[in-house]
Amino acid sequence: MTMKIRLPLLLAALVTAGSAVLSAPGTALAEDQPTIRELLDKCDNGTDSCVFHPDGAAEISMGESHQVGDSAFNCTPDSQTTTVGWSDTTGESNSVGVSLTAEYGFSLVFKMSITATYGHTWESSHTESELTAVNVRPGEVGWVTREAQMQHVSGTYELHFPDRFYGHYYWYAPFDATGPMPDAPSTKTQHTRAMTDQEKSEHCG
């Protein structure tokens, strides 16, 4: 299943006197309003307060299934058990396209909010390595696929400024992020199928 970042819908620009909401990631609603990225760069870097409010429970799902390691071709007349060694890294994505591994103020605020709200840390990337045995019958090819467990979090940054920033003391910026679930097992699956004529020619001579 392909993970998709949910982009927020357009919200009202003016909430109350001195406060405003941005909603289109990375774009300004008007020339006199900042982009969401510009706002987030001000988080704890010119604000009196910057807090991330998650919308609710994190959405947990399995990431896209993909092959890891090399394929195993059995050109012998007997069934073979082949050990496939692999290492696979799962990364993150978010609605502003900036890695949360960087020491931006908003990334630190986001990570602290995840820990406080859900009781676990945010991982920007996770690498798993393993040796997986695949039983391959004569004339077949075998391979391994992996699906990582992912968490998707959406919410809103609330920023308070000591002076008016683009005409407002308070700004609210939506934010989405998807990353690997920490300390969660992934799903590994062994597959086999008959080799094509081209594969037989390339791998079996």
Side-chain angles (χ1 to χ4, degrees):
M1 178 174 63
T2 301
M3 298 299 303
K4 294 183 179 179
I5 294 296
R6 177 172 58 84
L7 298 182
L9 298 176
L10 186 65
L11 304 177
L14 184 62
V15 180
T16 60
S19 67
V21 171
L22 275 179
S23 59
T27 61
L29 299 180
E31 290 183 0
D32 60 346
Q33 293 188 341
T35 65
I36 286 183
R37 176 60 194 278
E38 186 178 358
L39 265 181
L40 296 186
D41 283 343
K42 288 293 183 179
C43 181
D44 285 347
N45 181 34
T47 57
D48 287 332
S49 174
C50 179
V51 181
F52 179 74
H53 302 288
D55 287 339
E59 300 174 13
I60 309 301
S61 62
M62 300 307 294
E64 181 180 0
S65 177
H66 56 282
Q67 181 175 345
V68 291
D70 296 329
S71 299
F73 298 89
N74 185 1
C75 300
T76 75
D78 303 309
S79 293
Q80 300 289 330
T81 298
T82 301
T83 300
V84 176
W86 55 267
S87 181
D88 189 49
T89 300
T90 304
E92 67 179 357
S93 59
N94 59 67
S95 53
V96 295
V98 177
S99 173
L100 294 173
T101 58
E103 295 301 311
Y104 297 106
F106 76 88
S107 66
L108 297 177
V109 168
F110 177 80
K111 292 175 184 178
M112 288 189 293
S113 177
I114 296 304
T115 301
T117 303
Y118 305 123
H120 61 254
T121 59
W122 176 266
E123 285 196 355
S124 293
S125 66
H126 177 76
T127 300
E128 184 176 2
S129 302
E130 191 174 285
L131 296 173
T132 305
V134 183
N135 297 316
V136 187
R137 290 175 294 188
E140 291 191 340
V141 55
W143 71 98
V144 179
T145 58
R146 175 177 181 260
E147 298 174 14
Q149 192 167 336
M150 308 292 287
Q151 61 174 327
H152 174 72
V153 176
S154 61
T156 304
Y157 279 91
E158 179 180 351
L159 302 95
H160 298 184
F161 289 86
D163 301 303
R164 288 183 182 269
F165 184 66
Y166 281 85
H168 299 280
Y169 291 103
Y170 304 93
W171 283 93
Y172 300 88
F175 183 77
D176 284 63
T178 300
M181 191 71 181
D183 302 320
S186 61
T187 299
K188 280 82 68 175
T189 308
Q190 297 82 41
H191 307 266
T192 60
R193 62 166 174 79
M195 280 188 278
T196 65
D197 290 339
Q198 181 176 349
E199 288 171 334
K200 289 180 180 179
S201 174
E202 290 176 351
H203 297 279
C204 300

